[in-house]
Amino acid sequence: MRTIGKNRGLGRLADAEGHFRMVALDQRPPLFDAIAKAKGITRDQVEYSDVTAAKRLLVENLAPHCSSMLFDPNFAVPAAIDLLPPRCGLIMTLEEHRVEETAGGRKSRAIANWSVEKIRAMGGDAVKVLAWYRPDADAAVNQHQKRFVREIGEECARHDVPYVLELLVYPFLGSANHTADYVESPGKLPGLVIDSVREFAKPEYGVDLLKLESPLAANSLPARDGSTEARAAQKEFDAIGDICRERSIPWVLLSGGAAPEKFERVLDFAYAAGAGGFLAGRTIWLDAVLKNFPDLTAVSASLRKDGLGVLERLNKLTTAKGTPWKARFPVFTDIKQEGDFARAY
């Protein structure tokens, strides 16, 4: 049973019906790359002011149309915390986007000078952590990742704040398709995704909401039309749904930069398996930046037209097919008189 703080925090992330319709703008390297490409410069030449200007436009144009937003502390908060509507939930990312690459796998760490305590202190409704994970990585690497996730879960429990865990499979250093950024691998193995979910759904990690990638590459998903291929694909999503249902953990899908129509197909399979929404970024806003930056007026116009068009389609699909989340508060059967609750909580 979740605590009062975790229940109320998750409620802030969802809409009034319990659907998670969330927009991610904590991305750092993907946004750096988009700005660099739009300006015809290298990633290293992207200025801090360019990143904050772009993030401010994303919040200004998209925040009124989602249930919550995912911010990072170094760019999004200084850029646009003043624009976040009071009813829009605030998820704060904790992980550093620069990871340690080793031959045996990838190690995550927290942003310098940033913590669960600070997220709670600034009024964050939830803590989000991205953990790069492969069950077949080096044992020492996976022990590091498990400890990283578990210790943050303990901090979230201590501060009574929901823990949103994002899991991503990645290519090993030196492999043909290696990249430090998240680019969905067309040949990824569903078992790696499913086994990762099975591991981190264990109670010892304290996860309250899972942000997951599709177990199958979005570009190769068939239409959900009852065909043999569609039924086979559905089994992979159902495996995730079964794990999350058993552990009473709601789950949402990340877009991974998939084309909007491809991501809608991912959601169609995921919602049939019990997913409760999305936490998507690039699918919604990347084109507006790529095609128009640094013309801020043009970026804003594109977000209002095309970006919102994508977001509204995702919202409609989620409302129609997503599994709503409902808080299950503790029952205080042993509270008999004034002072008992304050003493016990």
Side-chain angles (χ1 to χ4, degrees), residues 6-16 18-23 66-70 87-92 124-128 161-164 208-209 250 252 276 278-279 325:
K6 287 188 174 245
N7 269 297
R8 288 186 58 82
L10 282 178
R12 288 275 299 157
L13 305 190
D15 61 23
H19 293 110
F20 297 102
R21 303 183 291 103
M22 307 181 287
V23 174
C66 59
S67 62
S68 51
M69 294 197 101
L70 172 57
R87 180 56 191 89
C88 189
L90 174 62
I91 313 164
M92 289 300 308
D125 297 302
V127 174
K128 171 260 178 181
V161 60
Y163 187 10
V164 180
D208 298 291
L209 177 66
V252 299
F278 60 87
L279 179 44
W325 173 82

Side-chain angles (χ1 to χ4, degrees), residues 129-150:
V129 169
L130 161 58
W132 300 95
Y133 189 78
R134 290 184 61 125
D136 58 347
D138 181 81
V141 170
N142 280 348
Q143 285 303 315
H144 175 279
Q145 294 300 85
K146 291 175 184 178
R147 183 172 60 253
F148 174 71
V149 172
R150 185 171 52 249

Side-chain angles (χ1 to χ4, degrees), residues 22-23 46 56 84 91 167 199 222 245 258 261 282 289 306 311 337:
M22 307 181 287
V23 174
V46 173
R56 187 169 181 83
L84 195 69
I91 313 164
L167 295 172
E199 174 63 35
R245 193 175 301 109
E261 64 276 8
R282 287 174 289 169
V289 177
D306 301 320
L311 180 55
Q337 60 186 1

Side-chain angles (χ1 to χ4, degrees), residues 25-79:
L25 54 102
D26 69 321
Q27 290 88 344
R28 284 145 285 175
L31 185 56
F32 302 160
D33 288 340
I35 291 172
K37 187 173 181 179
K39 295 184 72 174
I41 58 178
T42 65
R43 179 193 287 191
D44 293 342
Q45 292 174 310
V46 173
E47 296 182 4
Y48 180 82
S49 59
D50 284 337
V51 181
T52 54
K55 294 208 175 197
R56 187 169 181 83
L57 290 178
L58 300 183
V59 177
E60 182 177 36
N61 288 283
L62 301 176
H65 306 276
C66 59
S67 62
S68 51
M69 294 197 101
L70 172 57
F71 276 37
D72 71 278
N74 289 332
F75 297 94
V77 172

Side-chain angles (χ1 to χ4, degrees), residues 56-316:
R56 187 169 181 83
L57 290 178
L58 300 183
V59 177
E60 182 177 36
N61 288 283
L62 301 176
H65 306 276
C66 59
S67 62
S68 51
M69 294 197 101
L70 172 57
F71 276 37
D72 71 278
N74 289 332
F75 297 94
V77 172
I81 192 64
D82 60 308
L83 296 179
L84 195 69
R87 180 56 191 89
C88 189
L90 174 62
I91 313 164
M92 289 300 308
T93 198
L94 183 63
E95 87 283 345
E96 171 61 62
H97 66 274
R98 303 171 186 89
V99 297
E100 180 185 348
E101 291 271 16
T102 74
R106 189 173 289 182
K107 295 181 179 179
S108 302
R109 66 180 186 271
I111 294 170
N113 302 311
W114 195 234
S115 65
V116 172
E117 182 178 14
K118 287 187 177 183
I119 290 172
R120 196 51 152 172
M122 68 169 286
D125 297 302
V127 174
K128 171 260 178 181
V129 169
L130 161 58
W132 300 95
Y133 189 78
R134 290 184 61 125
D136 58 347
D138 181 81
V141 170
N142 280 348
Q143 285 303 315
H144 175 279
Q145 294 300 85
K146 291 175 184 178
R147 183 172 60 253
F148 174 71
V149 172
R150 185 171 52 249
E151 289 177 352
I152 293 168
E154 292 167 355
E155 282 296 297
C156 287
R158 185 173 296 114
H159 293 281
D160 211 3
V161 60
Y163 187 10
V164 180
L165 179 64
E166 176 180 4
L167 295 172
L168 287 178
V169 175
Y170 59 93
F172 284 123
L173 187 66
S175 63
N177 58 345
H178 177 265
T179 173
D181 301 328
Y182 178 64
V183 178
E184 188 175 57
S185 171
K188 68 179 173 183
L189 300 176
L192 295 178
V193 177
I194 295 166
D195 287 346
S196 298
V197 174
R198 184 174 289 109
E199 174 63 35
F200 290 101
K202 294 176 181 177
E204 66 191 78
Y205 296 103
V207 175
D208 298 291
L209 177 66
L210 280 165
K211 177 188 178 187
L212 303 175
E213 62 180 318
S214 169
L216 295 165
N219 286 336
S220 65
L221 268 182
R224 192 170 172 273
D225 56 7
S227 66
T228 301
E229 293 80 5
R231 292 196 301 272
Q234 188 64 59
K235 287 182 179 179
E236 308 293 0
F237 286 88
D238 289 347
I240 293 173
D242 290 344
I243 295 167
C244 293
R245 193 175 301 109
E246 180 184 353
R247 297 296 188 182
S248 298
I249 300 176
W251 56 294
V252 299
L253 276 294
L254 61 92
S255 63
E261 64 276 8
K262 299 293 186 182
F263 184 51
E264 289 175 39
R265 184 169 289 186
V266 168
L267 289 179
D268 205 20
F269 280 94
Y271 290 160
F278 60 87
L279 179 44
R282 287 174 289 169
T283 291
I284 298 167
W285 49 254
L286 185 63
D287 276 356
V289 177
L290 270 176
K291 295 177 179 178
N292 300 287
F293 202 86
D295 185 338
L296 302 186
T297 300
V299 172
S300 189
S302 179
L303 287 170
R304 288 195 303 271
K305 181 185 176 185
D306 301 320
L308 278 183
V310 173
L311 180 55
E312 290 303 336
R313 289 198 303 274
L314 298 180
N315 285 342
K316 184 176 180 180

